[in-house]
Amino acid sequence: MRAVLLVALLVLTGCSVPPGHGSSGPTKAGDRPPLSALTPVADPRTHSGPTTALVAQDDVVPVDKPTPRLPVTLKDFQDTQVTVTDVSRILALDVSGTLAATVFGLGLGDRVVGRDISTGFPAAQHLPLVTVNGHQLNAEAILRLRPTVVLTDTTLGPWDAVLQLRDAGVPVVVLDPKRAMETNTPIVHAVAKALGVPAAGELLGRRMEAEIADTIAQIKRLAPAEEARKPRVVFLYMRGQAGVYYLFGKGSGADSLIQALGAVDVATESGIEGMRPINPEALAKSKPDVILMMTNGLQSVGGVEGALAVPGVAQTPAAQRRRFVDMADSVVLGFGPRTAAVLDGLARALYAP
């Protein structure tokens, strides 16, 4: 349901850059000291002013250069039996760009022959686009690339395009559409299994978990330990040109990100599930200290001043202190191999801007 709603949001907004991926706004920071060397602000709940969060590592670093062991026969996320015999020409397509980043992280990036609009990290930018109108699969464009295997999930449509690929004899592996901290490693293992490189999947999963654990440990040294001093954060998805204003709650992925930052996700605290249109009264009542947004979303409403005009926003402590934190659509909810870098960037913006 979450995946369906997310796609509906993107179609409704006419958004060619999805939650998790975008092209405008800065994404990368230069050399900077580790989180452990930073001095946090005295009180992250009362700090004032907007901040753009940046990632230090914008590309995906491969963990290995594996040799696939094929054929592989498996049941995918939809219990469809798929046999993969050739991974020389891979397409990995989803709304967040996670699958392509994972393939590159496994060391098979040189076999990827195309990309979706969400896959914008440097190593993949040169690849031809196979999605149209934002997040619609173009079966003809895909077939022209002669893929030997397609990895996707239910966040892209139309489903007829997937059926057309299967009718043409292309193995299509459908994976779990949920993106969150807890799905990172299972998705890596599933992608690695489908491509015949399970050992590389183990390596990437362990590296990713170690990087995330190290980053969270550093965040804990920055973040207040006392519950009453933890910043109260809400993730808002806005597309001003379409008049779409959503709050991301429990199970949206934003909740696990906020919690990993040592902050309080006010949407989860308020019992909000998934993604819901902003209720002005409920938003004001939740009293967030920080409003987290995608950079393109903030720009779409006219920046901070425009966001303050959205019903319910101006009544929050965050708005009164102009405490907005934005991060590029291309990374903030993508998870996968760049999760630690995202946490690092957001932690700096929250605790040591």
Side-chain angles (χ1 to χ4, degrees), residues 165-191:
L165 296 177
R166 285 179 169 161
D167 287 343
V170 179
V172 179
V173 181
V174 179
L175 296 145
D176 187 349
K178 186 177 181 181
R179 301 290 178 263
M181 298 293 292
E182 65 270 18
T183 65
N184 271 331
T185 301
I187 287 173
V188 165
H189 289 168
V191 170

Short mmCIF file of all heavy atoms in Angstrom, two decimals, residues 165-191:
data_model
loop_
_atom_site.label_atom_id
_atom_site.label_comp_id
_atom_site.label_asym_id
_atom_site.label_seq_id
_atom_site.Cartn_x
_atom_site.Cartn_y
_atom_site.Cartn_z
N LEU A 165 7.73 -7.39 -20.95
CA LEU A 165 9.12 -7.84 -20.88
C LEU A 165 9.18 -9.36 -20.71
O LEU A 165 9.97 -10.04 -21.36
CB LEU A 165 9.83 -7.15 -19.72
CG LEU A 165 9.99 -5.63 -19.81
CD1 LEU A 165 10.66 -5.10 -18.55
CD2 LEU A 165 10.79 -5.24 -21.04
N ARG A 166 8.34 -9.87 -19.84
CA ARG A 166 8.32 -11.33 -19.63
C ARG A 166 7.88 -12.06 -20.88
O ARG A 166 8.42 -13.12 -21.22
CB ARG A 166 7.42 -11.66 -18.44
CG ARG A 166 8.07 -11.33 -17.09
CD ARG A 166 7.18 -11.63 -15.92
NE ARG A 166 7.94 -11.54 -14.66
CZ ARG A 166 7.37 -11.40 -13.47
NH1 ARG A 166 6.04 -11.35 -13.36
NH2 ARG A 166 8.13 -11.33 -12.39
N ASP A 167 6.89 -11.49 -21.59
CA ASP A 167 6.44 -12.12 -22.83
C ASP A 167 7.56 -12.14 -23.87
O ASP A 167 7.60 -13.05 -24.73
CB ASP A 167 5.24 -11.36 -23.40
CG ASP A 167 3.97 -11.61 -22.60
OD1 ASP A 167 3.94 -12.58 -21.81
OD2 ASP A 167 3.02 -10.81 -22.75
N ALA A 168 8.48 -11.17 -23.78
CA ALA A 168 9.59 -11.11 -24.72
C ALA A 168 10.74 -12.02 -24.29
O ALA A 168 11.78 -12.07 -24.96
CB ALA A 168 10.08 -9.67 -24.85
N GLY A 169 10.56 -12.72 -23.16
CA GLY A 169 11.58 -13.66 -22.70
C GLY A 169 12.61 -13.09 -21.75
O GLY A 169 13.61 -13.75 -21.45
N VAL A 170 12.38 -11.86 -21.28
CA VAL A 170 13.33 -11.24 -20.35
C VAL A 170 12.99 -11.66 -18.92
O VAL A 170 11.86 -11.44 -18.47
CB VAL A 170 13.30 -9.70 -20.45
CG1 VAL A 170 14.29 -9.07 -19.46
CG2 VAL A 170 13.60 -9.24 -21.87
N PRO A 171 13.92 -12.25 -18.18
CA PRO A 171 13.64 -12.57 -16.78
C PRO A 171 13.47 -11.27 -15.97
O PRO A 171 14.33 -10.39 -16.01
CB PRO A 171 14.90 -13.32 -16.32
CG PRO A 171 15.59 -13.74 -17.57
CD PRO A 171 15.26 -12.71 -18.59
N VAL A 172 12.34 -11.15 -15.27
CA VAL A 172 12.07 -9.98 -14.42
C VAL A 172 11.93 -10.46 -12.99
O VAL A 172 11.05 -11.28 -12.68
CB VAL A 172 10.78 -9.25 -14.86
CG1 VAL A 172 10.53 -8.05 -13.94
CG2 VAL A 172 10.90 -8.78 -16.31
N VAL A 173 12.78 -9.94 -12.12
CA VAL A 173 12.75 -10.29 -10.70
C VAL A 173 12.14 -9.13 -9.94
O VAL A 173 12.67 -8.01 -9.96
CB VAL A 173 14.16 -10.60 -10.16
CG1 VAL A 173 14.10 -10.97 -8.68
CG2 VAL A 173 14.82 -11.71 -10.97
N VAL A 174 11.01 -9.36 -9.27
CA VAL A 174 10.33 -8.32 -8.50
C VAL A 174 10.78 -8.43 -7.04
O VAL A 174 10.71 -9.50 -6.43
CB VAL A 174 8.80 -8.46 -8.61
CG1 VAL A 174 8.10 -7.40 -7.77
CG2 VAL A 174 8.36 -8.36 -10.07
N LEU A 175 11.22 -7.30 -6.49
CA LEU A 175 11.77 -7.27 -5.13
C LEU A 175 10.87 -6.48 -4.20
O LEU A 175 9.94 -5.79 -4.63
CB LEU A 175 13.18 -6.67 -5.16
CG LEU A 175 14.17 -7.53 -5.97
CD1 LEU A 175 15.17 -6.65 -6.69
CD2 LEU A 175 14.89 -8.51 -5.06
N ASP A 176 11.15 -6.57 -2.91
CA ASP A 176 10.39 -5.87 -1.88
C ASP A 176 10.43 -4.36 -2.13
O ASP A 176 11.52 -3.78 -2.26
CB ASP A 176 11.02 -6.19 -0.51
CG ASP A 176 10.21 -5.64 0.67
OD1 ASP A 176 9.29 -4.84 0.45
OD2 ASP A 176 10.52 -6.03 1.81
N PRO A 177 9.28 -3.67 -2.19
CA PRO A 177 9.28 -2.23 -2.46
C PRO A 177 9.56 -1.37 -1.24
O PRO A 177 9.80 -0.17 -1.38
CB PRO A 177 7.86 -1.98 -2.97
CG PRO A 177 7.03 -3.00 -2.24
CD PRO A 177 7.91 -4.23 -2.15
N LYS A 178 9.54 -1.96 -0.04
CA LYS A 178 9.70 -1.14 1.16
C LYS A 178 11.14 -0.68 1.32
O LYS A 178 12.07 -1.46 1.17
CB LYS A 178 9.26 -1.91 2.41
CG LYS A 178 9.27 -1.04 3.67
CD LYS A 178 8.76 -1.80 4.88
CE LYS A 178 8.75 -0.89 6.11
NZ LYS A 178 8.28 -1.59 7.32
N ARG A 179 11.33 0.61 1.64
CA ARG A 179 12.64 1.17 1.88
C ARG A 179 12.69 1.72 3.31
O ARG A 179 11.93 2.62 3.66
CB ARG A 179 12.95 2.29 0.89
CG ARG A 179 12.90 1.85 -0.57
CD ARG A 179 14.05 0.93 -0.93
NE ARG A 179 13.96 0.48 -2.33
CZ ARG A 179 13.44 -0.66 -2.70
NH1 ARG A 179 12.94 -1.50 -1.79
NH2 ARG A 179 13.39 -1.01 -3.97
N ALA A 180 13.59 1.18 4.10
CA ALA A 180 13.74 1.59 5.49
C ALA A 180 15.06 1.03 6.00
O ALA A 180 15.70 0.22 5.33
CB ALA A 180 12.57 1.11 6.35
N MET A 181 15.45 1.42 7.19
CA MET A 181 16.69 0.92 7.77
C MET A 181 16.70 -0.60 7.83
O MET A 181 17.69 -1.25 7.50
CB MET A 181 16.89 1.52 9.17
CG MET A 181 17.02 3.02 9.22
SD MET A 181 18.52 3.64 8.45
CE MET A 181 19.73 3.02 9.60
N GLU A 182 15.57 -1.18 8.22
CA GLU A 182 15.53 -2.62 8.44
C GLU A 182 15.47 -3.44 7.16
O GLU A 182 15.68 -4.66 7.19
CB GLU A 182 14.34 -2.99 9.34
CG GLU A 182 12.97 -2.72 8.74
CD GLU A 182 12.43 -1.33 9.04
OE1 GLU A 182 13.24 -0.45 9.40
OE2 GLU A 182 11.22 -1.12 8.88
N THR A 183 15.20 -2.79 6.02
CA THR A 183 15.14 -3.55 4.76
C THR A 183 16.44 -3.48 3.96
O THR A 183 16.56 -4.13 2.92
CB THR A 183 13.98 -3.06 3.87
OG1 THR A 183 14.23 -1.70 3.48
CG2 THR A 183 12.65 -3.16 4.60
N ASN A 184 17.39 -2.68 4.41
CA ASN A 184 18.64 -2.50 3.66
C ASN A 184 19.33 -3.82 3.33
O ASN A 184 19.57 -4.15 2.18
CB ASN A 184 19.60 -1.61 4.46
CG ASN A 184 19.42 -0.14 4.15
OD1 ASN A 184 19.01 0.23 3.06
ND2 ASN A 184 19.73 0.70 5.12
N THR A 185 19.67 -4.57 4.37
CA THR A 185 20.43 -5.80 4.16
C THR A 185 19.62 -6.87 3.42
O THR A 185 20.15 -7.52 2.51
CB THR A 185 20.96 -6.34 5.49
OG1 THR A 185 21.80 -5.33 6.08
CG2 THR A 185 21.78 -7.59 5.31
N PRO A 186 18.34 -7.10 3.77
CA PRO A 186 17.57 -8.08 2.99
C PRO A 186 17.50 -7.76 1.51
O PRO A 186 17.55 -8.68 0.67
CB PRO A 186 16.18 -8.01 3.64
CG PRO A 186 16.44 -7.59 5.05
CD PRO A 186 17.58 -6.63 4.95
N ILE A 187 17.40 -6.48 1.14
CA ILE A 187 17.36 -6.12 -0.28
C ILE A 187 18.70 -6.41 -0.95
O ILE A 187 18.76 -6.95 -2.07
CB ILE A 187 16.95 -4.65 -0.46
CG1 ILE A 187 15.46 -4.48 -0.15
CG2 ILE A 187 17.26 -4.15 -1.87
CD1 ILE A 187 14.97 -3.07 -0.13
N VAL A 188 19.79 -6.10 -0.26
CA VAL A 188 21.12 -6.41 -0.80
C VAL A 188 21.25 -7.91 -1.06
O VAL A 188 21.70 -8.34 -2.13
CB VAL A 188 22.23 -5.93 0.15
CG1 VAL A 188 23.57 -6.56 -0.21
CG2 VAL A 188 22.35 -4.41 0.11
N HIS A 189 20.85 -8.71 -0.09
CA HIS A 189 20.95 -10.16 -0.24
C HIS A 189 20.07 -10.67 -1.38
O HIS A 189 20.47 -11.58 -2.14
CB HIS A 189 20.58 -10.85 1.06
CG HIS A 189 21.60 -10.67 2.14
ND1 HIS A 189 21.36 -10.98 3.46
CD2 HIS A 189 22.87 -10.20 2.10
CE1 HIS A 189 22.44 -10.71 4.19
NE2 HIS A 189 23.37 -10.23 3.37
N ALA A 190 18.87 -10.10 -1.51
CA ALA A 190 17.95 -10.54 -2.57
C ALA A 190 18.50 -10.19 -3.95
O ALA A 190 18.42 -11.00 -4.89
CB ALA A 190 16.58 -9.90 -2.36
N VAL A 191 19.05 -8.98 -4.09
CA VAL A 191 19.63 -8.58 -5.38
C VAL A 191 20.83 -9.45 -5.70
O VAL A 191 20.99 -9.94 -6.83
CB VAL A 191 20.04 -7.09 -5.34
CG1 VAL A 191 20.86 -6.72 -6.58
CG2 VAL A 191 18.80 -6.20 -5.26
#
